[in-house]
Structure formats: structure tokens, C-alpha cells
Amino acid sequence: MYNLNLYDYTKLFSGYSELRAQENRVVSIVFVKGNNTVNSRSATSGISARVYKNGSWGFASNPEISEAAAKAVIQAATENAVFLDSKELKGKGPLPKSPVKSENDFSTKKPRLGQRELVEFIRQLDDHIARKYPDLASRTVSLSCLDMEKTLITSDGSYSHSLVPRTTVGIALSFIKDGEPVEFARPYGGLGHFEDLFTSPEDLFNEIEEQYHHLMKKSEGVFADAGLKTCVLAAELAGILAHEAIGHTTEADMVISGSVAQGKIGRQVASPLVTLVDFAHSYNGQVCPVPVYVDDEGTEAKDAVLIEDGILKGYMHNKESARYFSVEPTGNARAYQFSDEPLIRMRNTAILPGTDKLEDMIASIDDGYYLIQPSDGQADVTSEFMFGITLGYEIKNGKIGKAIKDTTISGVAFDMLQTVTMASPDMKWHNSGMCGKKQGIPVGMGGPAIKCKINIGGR
Amino acid sequence: MANLRQVAKHGLNALLKAGADKAQCVATFVDKHEMNVELGEFSLLRTTFDTNIRLTAIKANRRGSTNINKSDEESIDKAAGEVLAIATASAPDEAFDIAETQPPAEFSSGSDSPDLDKMYSSMKQLIHQVRDRYPKLVLMQVIVDFTRSRSCFVNSNDVDFVTNKGVYNCSFLFSSKDEDKVSSFNYTGFSLRELEKHLLECGSLDILLRQSVEQIVTRPLEGKFVGDVIITPDCMGDILFFITRALSDGPMISGTSIYKGKLGLQIASPMFTLHSRPVSDEICDGYFVTSDGYAAENSTIIESGVLKTYLLSLYGSRKTGFDRAVNTGGAFVVDPGDTQLDDMIKSVEKGILLARFSGGYPSDNGDFSGVAKNSYLIENGEIKYPISESMVAGNFAEMLKNIKAISRERIDYGFSILPWVQVSGITVSGK
């Protein structure tokens, strides 16, 4: 990617400093109803420095990765920190030190495919859908690949190099019912290069068949009955619940801002069935969707246990918030582009599995909903969260009923999590999530199916 | 290679040399100076320089493109070769094309460089004003940046446009706290050519900060009703996003847009007129050149409720047979109505003032549902109290037809100018 020894520039550091070289490589291919509307590649790389002085930060970045650029960004970031410090005079002390060295490369060992092969793969998927499901009004088939490669050194002795790829095939199917479009989209893929995740378009045919059948049922769907309902959230949904409902309120910067998690460490905030962890890189011996071994401040990434058996245990930290709370940093400082500064971000946030069977959970509900596929979501410092639902079914007398139209569910997390009465033993990861907080960033979200009470939007 | 036009021309020539039948190159240099306040204190001063070179080639009706952020000849030459390989891999389509010849032009707006002292003093002043006026308010994050962009768009039909733009972008994230009670966060933002006014006097900032303090104590709504909703200017973005998306390439090409075939027809109340004015003096954060390489023009998208144009690109136009839009949307201006906001509130028997919508993406048919954040219950013509745990549901397309009033007052965000809009028939549900 780049041939620059960052260690050569540590002598230019004054005070706590970070120097990061990074390249993000993106492949985008889109077919809309057979038309190859997007066919592109991009590479964005550069070098950045961040410097800390008495509680004020300076940051600078440059798209060149060269000796001159490295010197320039260190100088500019230092000047920026000095400028702010001279104005603000916060007089805050040093940040915690925890030097670590790490090398992690998740790139494929197989020969890389070219754009032609990738376009052909997507075209074959599109062609299959067009031939097999002629009653569809439209379909969009896309491929999105992101490689994030970073090298970081810090003045307190940390070094990290990582290459983390993510590959997502997106399939959206549209059907016209009574003159109105009905759509159902799903992502497939996750951590890894395309070559390690997909071998043949046929591998996705069963999933597409299932997706099509859900769409047909959804086209006959009814509006949800608005209000507080007993629901089973499928495993695909529990992850976004973990992320939106609790995750954001336990990011330490949100806590310091006054989120409802402030001052609640040690208190029962959820049902004893709920244990919620932001995993750094692995769970149960398996690598998570967004593995982080060393964060972008050079801190070794550790699992952050947020809720254990319903009791709030901790927050997610960068160095500055860890000092504020007098705890160890957890390695949650992450930046998206070379030109972005690290912020406290989630990594792989998950509710841990329970022991109840999904069938029993559904059978236990007389009048409620089985909610399966999420779309976007949003959190709040009050812990009132929402996320969109693009696939769900009524539950009537313990049995799955009609599909419902797109809706949104919401709740106050610390109230809603008290209503969790069952959790399934399986655990699924949502592999394609992007979280927005000044910068977008890939996140992993996971969990089992859970039974709870939640507000559902409808008519 | 620091000369912008030289970089763009080199990219164009490299594509043609690599074998492109038609080619275009957009070179953009961006300098950003950004000050950040967290929890009412300055936290970060950030200076970033970036480059974007977008190369697009068409060969034998096949199209490929790439973005790099390096402007040296070697990187551009290498990328040009890759673009041709990407193009060769694509499916052929006769609709791929580039903009026709237009007279060369250079466009400019805003300042060349930031006034860092003014940025600092404006933000410092805001911090002091907030402490004095709203002591319970927490400025979670304030970001003011000055972004200077220089861009050159050239193509093999001799299109040659240069744009110079400088703008201050301001964004605010805040909540209010009183002991263990906290309000929902809220946010807003605006763009400015110059930092002449107090930040608190710009956009809707002061209104929203005052409301945030009121929202420390909320009450959940009980039950469900169908009533009027007054949509605040800050909350209009979701509707505009829905309209823009439905009129754009994807749904129009796939045939799933609910507005396909509705050109010249009434799709909204006669009270509703929506413009896109990227080159208007009243918009400081517009654009001068479309993504296809045409000089952008102002347009009226919906006039007195009648759909006047789709928002199709050159490609979308060729695929659908409808006219290409004269801009790429955004820079929205909604005409004011003839109702005072106070009178609008007085006219509501039961409904809500919807100040922030937190919901899932609307369906392609316009159905939406979500949480009414930072919002108020209105009963018998009076704002009663701030609400929580309340949801709204309806259909954007129907909502546009069911507009009851549009306010005389509007908020100028710099990137758009929007009024309050009163609509009927929205389902509001509480616990």
C-alpha cells in the first residue's frame, strides 16, 4: 500500500502524538433491472497526525504518504494543539499509557479476482433473478467491497498494522401490488475478501428464493396495529437492538454528555437474562465481523462488558474518557478515513444467547409480532431508540400470521430490556452495519432471538 | 502537479491515450479547517487537505470509473489504465454518454481562506450565550468548519468548468440536563458565506436550544389518534429525501417510482411549491456544475402542487426517455404560505408539532413510521407539553396532498430555505 517507515518520524513528536497512514479501497458494482448503472473502484489514502496538549487536540492530514507529508502533518497538528491550548489553558494531565504491538491481516490468500469476474458474478445473479422470478417489477443487485488498511504509531510506543476487508452483496427485490411498489432488500456477506466469501452465484440461490417468498407475503401485508406489543425479535434484530438501544448510551463520551447510563454502574437496568458485550475481535473462539485488536489510539482492544445479568457494568472508552472515569481504556477509539480523528465507536456489540427455543417463544404469544429484518436505526441519550423493520409477521394465538408492511419499532432501552423474558440459544451477527457518528464506520451487531415488549408504529 | 486545470486535463488525456472513446475527469482539491467543541469546551482543531480525481471512461458503450486522491502524473496514468479495464468489464449500454460541448466557464462563491480568529470567537461567544441563557443546556458537540474547494470538470467534448467555493459549515448537537433527567438530543446546522451574525441568530438554533430545555420533562402520549401534524423546517428533510429519491434515476429506471408518468399532474396540494436553486444568491452552499458536467441551473420541481420535472441524470434521461434535469436536486427552497405559525397552531384541534422524526427509511410507496422526537402535543389550538415515547405513521405521498397550511415564516439554513407545513391524517400513537 505505502512504503514509509513511520518510526522515522517519532523524533518529531512533542507530547502525546499519533501518526497514522491509511488506505481505504472500495469496489462498487450495481445492476438495476439488468442495467449496469455503477461500475467503479476507488482508493483513498493519506497520512494524519493527532497531537495532545494539556487537554486540547490538534489534528492534520494530507493525501500524500511521503516524508514531506509526514513531517507536515506532525507540524500542523502540533501547531493546532498549541493554538487551542494557548486559548483554552485546560491544564489537563497526561493520558493513560499502554503500549502494544500488533499485526493483523484478514486479506485472502487466494488469487484476487478482477473487475470483469466480479461484474460477471453480479450479472449472473441478476440474470438468475430475472429468469426465475419474471413477476418482479424490478431488482437491484449490488456488490460493495471495502478494505481498510492502517498503520499506526504513537509516541507512547504502540505500533499496529491491520488490513480488514468487508464484502457485501446486496439484493433488493420489488413487486408491484395494486399499483404500488413493495420492496424487500437483504445483505449477504461480511468480514473477508470476496474470494473467501463467495464461490459461485448458485450459493445465494436458496437465500434469494427465501427472500422472494417473504416479498410475496409482504406484498399481501397489513399495517401493524400501533402501540406497545409483545414481540419476538429475531436474532437478526437483536444485534441492532444491542447497538442502538444500549450501545450508544454507554459510549463514554455520551455518558459524560449526560446519557441515562450516567451514574448507573452496578444498577439493574435490564432483565437478568440480558448480558451485553462490545467484543473487540472474537466471541466463542470465532472472529467477529469487525475485528479490532489495537484501536486508533494504539490501545489494545479488550471486550467491554456493558451489562452482565441485567446489571450495568461499564462503558466503552478511549484514552481520554478512561482517564475521566479512572478506568482502563477499552480500545474503542476508531477512525474511518485517514483524514478522520478517532472517536469512541462500537466494534461488535452483542446480546449473549439464552436457552429458550424460538418456537416456544412464538407459541407463548397470543397477539403480537415476529420481527425479522431491520433497516436503519437511531439512538438517543435518553436511551429511547428506534429502528426500521422491513420484514415481520403477526403472531396470533401462538402461530405466525400475516406479514406486515414496513414499520418502525421503538422503546426506552432501560425500560424495554426489563421486559425481556426469553432468549434463544442461537447467535447471529449482522455483518453489514455502518454506524454514523460524525463519521460512518463499519460495526458488527449480534444476538439471539428475544421476547420482549416494544412500541410498534402503524395505523 | 499543483495546477488544478493541468491535473484535470492530464487525467482526460490519460484516459483518451488509454483508449477511451469518450472520457471525463473531475479534479477537486479541498482544504478544511475545523474547530470542535465538546461538552461546552473546545476540544480539537483539525486541518485537512484532500484531493479527489474522478476518472470516467466509455469505450464501445461500456463505462467504468475510479476515484483516487493522488494528483501526480504517475498515479493518474495508472488509474486511467485501470478505468479502461473496469469499463471493459462492464455490461454495454448505449445510454452511457458524457455532457455535450458548452462554453467554458469559471464559477466562484465565498471566501478564499478562513478567518480562524472569527471562527474561534463566534464559537466562544455561543458557549457564553448558552451558559447565560440556557444554563441547563449541554452543547454536546459544536463543529464549525471552513471548507474551501476548487474543482475542474473537463471532458472529451471540450467541457471545461472551474469552480471555486468557500463556505462555513456549522453543526450543533445538544441536549439538556437537570439532575438525573435528560432531554432527547437534538441537532441542527447551517451554512454561511461569512461569520457576520451571532451563531445563535442563524438558522433555527435558538428555537431548538430553547425547546431542548423545555424537553427535560416530557410526558408519553396515551392511546392513538389521527390528527394534524405541524412539521418544522428542521424536520422537512425526510419528506424532501422521499421526493428526491422517487424522482431520481434508480426508481425511475426500474419503474418503481410512484411519480413515474405524473409529469404535469397534481401530486401535492396547490399550496406546495418546491424549487431546487443551486445557483441562487440566497443559497450559499449550492453547486455550479452537475455530476454529469452540465452548468447547473435553478429549477422548480413542484409548482403549486404540479410535478414539473424529474431529477434524472443524463443516463437516467436516456434510459427513460424523459428530459435530463437541469440540476442534481438539493439547495431546496419551499415557497412560504400565507399562514402565521401562531395561527397554524391555533387551528389544530388535536395533533403534534413534529420537530424531529426518527424513523426507518420510508417505503417506496411513501409509507413511513417513526418516533416523534423533541415534539409537542397540540390540543385546542395550544401547545400543551413536550412528548416522549410517541410514534407517527402515514404516507409521504398522501401527506403532500393533505397539506392544510404553509407558514409565512421560513428558516434559512444556507443550503436550503424551508417553512413549517401543516398536514392532516397522520396516525399518532403513544403507549
Side-chain angles (χ1 to χ4, degrees), chain A residues 35 41 45 88 90 339 408, chain B residues 42 46 66 70 120 369:
Chain A
N35 300 293
R41 284 181 177 243
S45 63
E88 294 295 296
K90 292 183 188 175
S339 53
T408 300
Chain B
F42 281 87
R46 177 168 172 252
T66 194
K70 304 288 177 285
Y120 179 82
S369 63

Side-chain angles (χ1 to χ4, degrees), chain A residues 161-352:
Chain A
H161 172 253
S162 63
L163 198 166
V164 181
R166 168 188 271 199
T167 304
T168 307
V169 171
I171 296 178
L173 307 178
S174 290
F175 183 75
I176 301 288
K177 175 74 176 176
D178 299 331
E180 291 199 343
V182 183
E183 186 184 79
F184 179 43
R186 265 191 162 165
Y188 303 96
L191 171 69
H193 277 132
F194 181 92
E195 293 79 358
D196 289 337
L197 296 176
F198 300 102
T199 51
S200 160
E202 286 84 20
D203 296 345
L204 288 170
F205 286 0
N206 285 343
E207 279 91 343
I208 294 170
E209 177 77 7
E210 183 187 320
Q211 190 175 335
Y212 172 81
H213 283 292
H214 280 307
L215 175 67
M216 290 300 107
K217 288 176 183 165
K218 186 175 167 181
S219 71
E220 304 285 341
V222 296
F223 285 112
D225 181 25
L228 187 66
K229 303 289 176 184
T230 303
C231 297
V232 174
L233 308 188
E236 291 87 343
L237 268 184
I240 194 168
L241 178 75
H243 179 99
E244 297 294 355
I246 292 298
H248 279 297
T249 58
T250 53
E251 291 168 330
D253 52 344
M254 292 290 121
V255 177
I256 297 169
S257 296
S259 85
V260 290
Q262 192 181 72
K264 290 200 169 64
I265 297 274
R267 284 170 52 180
Q268 190 88 34
V269 295
S271 149
L273 292 176
V274 176
T275 292
L276 200 152
V277 181
D278 182 58
F279 292 103
H281 46 75
S282 312
Y283 166 67
N284 239 0
Q286 301 286 316
V287 176
C288 295
V290 182
V292 176
Y293 292 85
V294 173
D295 76 0
D296 294 327
E297 291 182 338
T299 298
E300 182 180 4
K302 296 171 185 161
D303 296 345
V305 178
L306 306 174
I307 296 175
E308 188 171 23
D309 301 330
I311 295 170
L312 188 68
K313 288 290 188 181
Y315 307 130
M316 290 169 275
H317 291 285
N318 62 9
K319 285 182 171 173
E320 207 169 11
S321 73
R323 184 187 58 187
Y324 179 92
F325 286 100
S326 302
V327 295
E328 292 288 311
T330 49
N332 282 86
R334 302 175 61 207
Y336 180 54
Q337 293 274 12
F338 75 93
S339 53
D340 290 327
E341 76 279 18
L343 306 173
I344 298 178
R345 310 303 299 264
M346 282 174 261
R347 299 157 308 188
N348 305 281
T349 318
I351 295 173
L352 299 196

Side-chain angles (χ1 to χ4, degrees), chain B residues 105-168:
Chain B
E106 183 156 346
F107 309 98
S108 294
S109 77
S111 305
D112 286 338
S113 58
D115 185 338
L116 287 176
D117 287 328
K118 187 72 179 165
M119 282 170 70
Y120 179 82
S121 61
S122 295
M123 295 171 78
K124 196 81 181 171
Q125 182 184 51
L126 174 70
I127 292 168
H128 286 308
Q129 286 175 322
V130 166
R131 275 183 196 151
D132 291 344
R133 207 176 292 186
Y134 307 114
K136 291 177 182 168
L137 193 120
V138 181
L139 283 173
M140 297 167 66
Q141 187 177 65
V142 179
I143 302 172
V144 175
D145 76 54
F146 177 82
T147 301
R148 169 77 177 154
S149 62
R150 295 175 293 139
S151 186
C152 181
F153 194 126
V154 292
N155 77 11
S156 53
N157 284 342
D158 292 330
V159 165
D160 186 339
F161 291 133
V162 171
T163 298
N164 302 295
K165 190 174 134 187
V167 66
Y168 290 94

Side-chain angles (χ1 to χ4, degrees), chain B residues 61-300:
Chain B
N61 293 326
R62 296 168 190 267
R63 185 172 70 177
S65 65
T66 194
N67 285 284
I68 59 170
N69 69 339
K70 304 288 177 285
S71 58
D72 61 282
E73 289 190 5
E74 188 184 345
S75 298
I76 292 174
D77 291 347
K78 181 167 171 264
E82 288 170 359
V83 172
L84 265 295
I86 294 168
T88 307
S90 90
D93 193 332
E94 290 185 355
F96 291 140
D97 208 348
I98 58 172
E100 308 90 48
T101 305
Q102 297 156 80
E106 183 156 346
F107 309 98
S108 294
S109 77
S111 305
D112 286 338
S113 58
D115 185 338
L116 287 176
D117 287 328
K118 187 72 179 165
M119 282 170 70
Y120 179 82
S121 61
S122 295
M123 295 171 78
K124 196 81 181 171
Q125 182 184 51
L126 174 70
I127 292 168
H128 286 308
Q129 286 175 322
V130 166
R131 275 183 196 151
D132 291 344
R133 207 176 292 186
Y134 307 114
K136 291 177 182 168
L137 193 120
V138 181
L139 283 173
M140 297 167 66
Q141 187 177 65
V142 179
I143 302 172
V144 175
D145 76 54
F146 177 82
T147 301
R148 169 77 177 154
S149 62
R150 295 175 293 139
S151 186
C152 181
F153 194 126
V154 292
N155 77 11
S156 53
N157 284 342
D158 292 330
V159 165
D160 186 339
F161 291 133
V162 171
T163 298
N164 302 295
K165 190 174 134 187
V167 66
Y168 290 94
N169 302 298
C170 311
S171 68
F172 309 87
L173 175 70
F174 46 88
S175 67
S176 295
K177 191 165 173 64
D178 188 12
E179 296 182 349
D180 63 342
K181 289 193 169 61
V182 61
S183 71
S184 283
F185 68 68
N186 203 351
Y187 48 82
T188 189
F190 44 79
S191 299
L192 302 167
R193 276 200 188 87
E194 300 293 343
L195 294 171
E196 290 166 337
K197 290 163 64 176
H198 294 181
L199 294 176
L200 203 54
E201 294 170 5
C202 299
S204 58
L205 183 59
D206 195 33
I207 298 172
L208 298 188
L209 295 185
R210 174 179 54 76
Q211 290 180 344
S212 175
V213 179
E214 293 170 358
Q215 292 158 4
I216 292 173
V217 178
T218 59
R219 285 160 60 180
L221 278 182
E222 299 291 334
K224 181 165 73 174
F225 65 90
V226 176
D228 286 2
V229 168
I230 296 175
I231 302 161
T232 66
D234 278 278
C235 201
M236 283 289 289
D238 292 283
I239 302 171
L240 298 176
F241 171 79
F242 168 74
I243 295 171
T244 305
R245 182 177 143 65
L247 298 175
S248 64
D249 280 8
M252 288 294 294
I253 292 171
S254 68
T256 56
S257 169
I258 59 168
Y259 293 130
K260 191 161 188 175
K262 299 282 174 69
L263 210 55
L265 300 180
Q266 198 84 30
I267 62 162
S269 154
M271 282 181 266
F272 188 72
T273 294
L274 170 67
H275 312 275
S276 175
R277 290 180 172 161
V279 292
S280 164
D281 279 346
E282 63 192 332
I283 297 293
C284 69
D285 194 16
Y287 52 89
F288 296 98
V289 181
T290 70
S291 52
D292 287 324
Y294 292 94
E297 300 172 36
N298 296 329
S299 69
T300 299

